[in-house]
Amino acid sequence: MRSQPENSPRRASAPPLIEFLRQNLPIVVFLGLAFAGMMLVYWYFSPDENAVDAITAVSPTDNYLAAPIFKNIPAKPVVQRLPQSPGPVLVGIISGHRGFDSGAVCADGLTEAQVNENITDLILASLQSQGIRTEKLDEFDTRLDNFSGTALISIHADSCDYINELATGFKIAGSAFTNSSDLSICVEQAYAQATQMEYHANTITPDMADYHAFRQIAPGVPAIIVEVGFMNLDRDMITTNAQVPATGLTNGILCFLNQYKNVVTATN
Ligand SMILES: [Zn+2]
């Protein structure tokens, strides 16, 4: 009991509030930390003043105590789970030499450009009548740059000079930049069937295989160049009977579009 009187004067000398806090030091520390923590959280989540103005700005017409809720969401790359659906079908047809030169010229003045355009127009009319979107293109059409249709077909015809009895038949060369074999096979089969012409494989020139349009169009667009026949020995077929080769080419394009649609449906 003697030790207590020594302590009691000191305890009595401190103000009661300090004394109380000292006695409950752990709780005081806890409350202090909790307050600091809450302030930190408040500061961290408070929008800056401009944002507050924007959020609380209520136009006079909105005569009510409400404000839109804004939340800043960081930009996140969107991952597409389904393959992108293909664009609508579009077939580009180059009317060979159109807008550039006449191509081969016959003794009587018939030009390759005329033969090509006649057949091109018949194909376009036929495709359009079946609701297929088409584009008629010149030889060096500016629309060829990055052309991104479903297929591109260029129509040409071979020389009007008499070479020999073998200078007859049609030729097809596919793009070296995009796999065009499906289009090529469809058109070759349909063309041979419609015209009963022979495939003239021996005279495919570098001009055909390395055709300028193949380089211009968008990657991935199947493209072929067709020499519909020789203007000398096949002249009747590609002029007077132009509807026949045009039908063959149209059927070939439709065959390819059918395959294309089936592939698209299967991958979806
Ligand atoms: Zn030509």
Side-chain angles (χ1 to χ4, degrees), residues 13 15 18 25 35 40 100 103 113-114 131 138 140 155 157 165 175 181 188 208 214 219 221-222 228 236 250-251 259:
S13 69
I18 302 296
L25 194 62
F35 181 73
L40 189 72
F100 179 63
Q114 290 174 325
D138 285 351
F140 292 97
I155 306 296
E165 283 305 309
S175 166
S181 53
E188 184 183 327
M208 282 182 77
F214 295 164
V221 177
V228 293
D236 276 353
T250 306
N251 289 344
Q259 287 184 7

Side-chain angles (χ1 to χ4, degrees), residues 20-61:
F20 175 79
L21 292 178
R22 190 182 292 153
Q23 281 174 0
N24 298 286
L25 194 62
I27 293 170
V28 170
V29 170
F30 169 76
L31 288 176
L33 287 176
F35 181 73
M38 281 192 292
M39 289 310 288
L40 189 72
V41 169
Y42 176 77
W43 166 80
Y44 184 78
F45 287 104
S46 291
D48 62 38
E49 281 192 18
N50 294 337
V52 172
D53 288 346
I55 290 166
T56 54
V58 176
S59 73
T61 51

Side-chain angles (χ1 to χ4, degrees), residues 96-97 103-104 112 116 139 155-158 225 227:
H97 299 273
E112 185 200 336
N116 298 341
E139 183 65 63
I155 306 296
H156 281 260
D158 254 312
I225 175 170
E227 300 271 359

Side-chain angles (χ1 to χ4, degrees), residues 81-194:
R81 266 183 278 170
L82 293 170
Q84 203 165 23
S85 58
V89 165
L90 170 67
V91 176
I93 313 256
I94 297 177
S95 182
H97 299 273
R98 189 173 189 269
F100 179 63
D101 65 6
S102 55
V105 184
C106 298
D108 65 352
L110 176 71
T111 67
E112 185 200 336
Q114 290 174 325
V115 172
N116 298 341
E117 184 159 18
N118 187 25
I119 292 175
T120 299
D121 287 343
L122 291 169
I123 300 169
L124 290 170
S126 186
L127 291 175
Q128 283 160 8
S129 74
Q130 303 189 51
I132 292 163
R133 215 154 54 97
T134 58
E135 236 169 89
K136 181 180 180 180
L137 300 156
D138 285 351
E139 183 65 63
F140 292 97
D141 206 297
T142 51
R143 289 171 295 170
L144 281 170
D145 289 324
N146 226 23
F147 175 83
S148 56
T150 318
L152 178 79
I153 295 98
S154 181
I155 306 296
H156 281 260
D158 254 312
S159 162
C160 202
D161 302 333
Y162 177 81
I163 302 159
N164 57 38
E165 283 305 309
L166 296 174
T168 170
F170 68 100
K171 291 180 272 188
I172 298 174
S175 166
F177 303 95
T178 296
N179 182 3
S180 303
S181 53
D182 287 348
L183 177 62
S184 209
I185 291 165
C186 269
V187 171
E188 184 183 327
Q189 288 176 348
Y191 197 77
Q193 199 184 355

Side-chain angles (χ1 to χ4, degrees), residues 58-68:
V58 176
S59 73
T61 51
D62 304 335
N63 199 11
Y64 56 91
L65 290 174

